[in-house]
Amino acid sequence: MLRAAARIVEMRMARPILVGVPQVVEKKAMELGIRLSHIEIVDPQSPSLMERYVKLLLPEWKPRGITELEAQSRLENPMYFAAAMVRAGDADGFVGGAAATTAETVRAALQCIGLHPNSSTVSSLFLMALPSTNLVFADCAVIPVPTVIQLADIGLDAARNTRIFLQTEPRVAFLSFSTKGSASHPSIDRIREAVATVKARNPELIVDGELQADAALVPEIAQSKSPTSVIKGRATTLIFPDLQSGNIAYKLTERLAGARAIGPILQGLNKPANDLSRGCSIDDIIDVTAITSLR
């Protein structure tokens, strides 16, 4: 984390804030030969900040049975403290998870930052950088079997993020083993309902489903299988029906097609927060910081 923060300063990508006991951080930086002159360190045990964040969050936590003492104990966790900094406007976003699970990262973000007003779901996306194109895959990391509403939220949030990350108008394809009624199954009905929900909530969005992957991505096959589809085989944003299919698809694309999979990127939150793998490299931390900064 220290090496990544130093590189981020050199690249002028962001102004990193490290959450940790200053003496411990400074000692480690000295051992590594890292200068901290442009890196802010915030102590999660600071009494004044702790008091401020407890006052900010306790009105929301108290109805859930959290006492003031428990709130303070929770905020002693650097992940919760960092999320509270974002909630308070003392930081623009947070990156965590190098020493914690995805579930812990999501929990801290949800309980401190909360959901975006237009979403009721925290999900994830991967940016898939392929040799000839870039795509957004969602959800590949968070919700095992999304409901109709969750699936619609995933599609709408992924479309918003496609605009930010790919700088293009999203073309959202809800994927299935069926194309526009070529098969019948309750799992397909769920996809059709989600697409109808998305269209009702954002009538101007280019979205269609259910579509097989080839009908979503290959214009010639789209012309044959779904000639009236607005996607026309040029999807930029692929929405998977469940976590199994999404996770399998992104890993196969990464391993067999030579794609670079950047993520998982959390979406649906009111302010930016992102997760790292516990096996993350310095470059991974820098990539996720860049994504958080863009948002």
Side-chain angles (χ1 to χ4, degrees), residues 88-219:
D90 294 338
D92 295 315
F94 91 82
V95 173
T101 65
T102 294
E104 290 172 298
T105 308
V106 171
R107 198 176 298 117
L110 256 179
Q111 293 181 4
C112 295
I113 296 171
L115 289 164
H116 189 278
N118 295 330
S119 184
S120 57
T121 306
V122 173
S123 62
S124 73
L125 65 86
F126 275 85
L127 286 175
M128 303 301 294
L130 289 142
S132 59
T133 189
N134 297 308
L135 297 169
V136 166
F137 283 19
D139 170 21
C140 305
V142 178
I143 305 175
V145 184
T147 64
V148 168
I149 297 301
Q150 287 174 327
L151 204 51
D153 279 341
I154 290 165
L156 288 163
D157 288 336
R160 278 192 286 270
N161 282 315
T162 296
R163 286 193 186 95
I164 294 169
F165 298 132
L166 301 189
Q167 297 285 292
T168 188
E169 191 60 27
R171 306 173 73 87
V172 184
F174 280 72
L175 301 184
S176 173
F177 61 86
S178 166
T179 295
K180 307 299 280 184
S182 65
S184 179
H185 190 270
S187 64
I188 300 171
D189 295 337
R190 184 170 58 91
I191 296 166
R192 290 172 187 155
E193 286 180 47
V195 172
T197 303
V198 168
K199 287 179 177 178
R201 287 170 61 181
N202 188 346
E204 295 181 6
L205 185 66
I206 301 169
V207 58
D208 204 4
E210 80 282 7
L211 294 171
Q212 289 167 291
D214 54 1
L217 294 168
V218 184

Side-chain angles (χ1 to χ4, degrees), residues 61-77:
W61 290 355
K62 207 168 185 178
R64 302 177 207 166
I66 305 294
T67 65
E68 186 171 346
L69 198 62
E70 287 168 333
Q72 186 169 328
S73 174
R74 184 180 279 188
L75 287 167
E76 286 170 0
N77 178 322

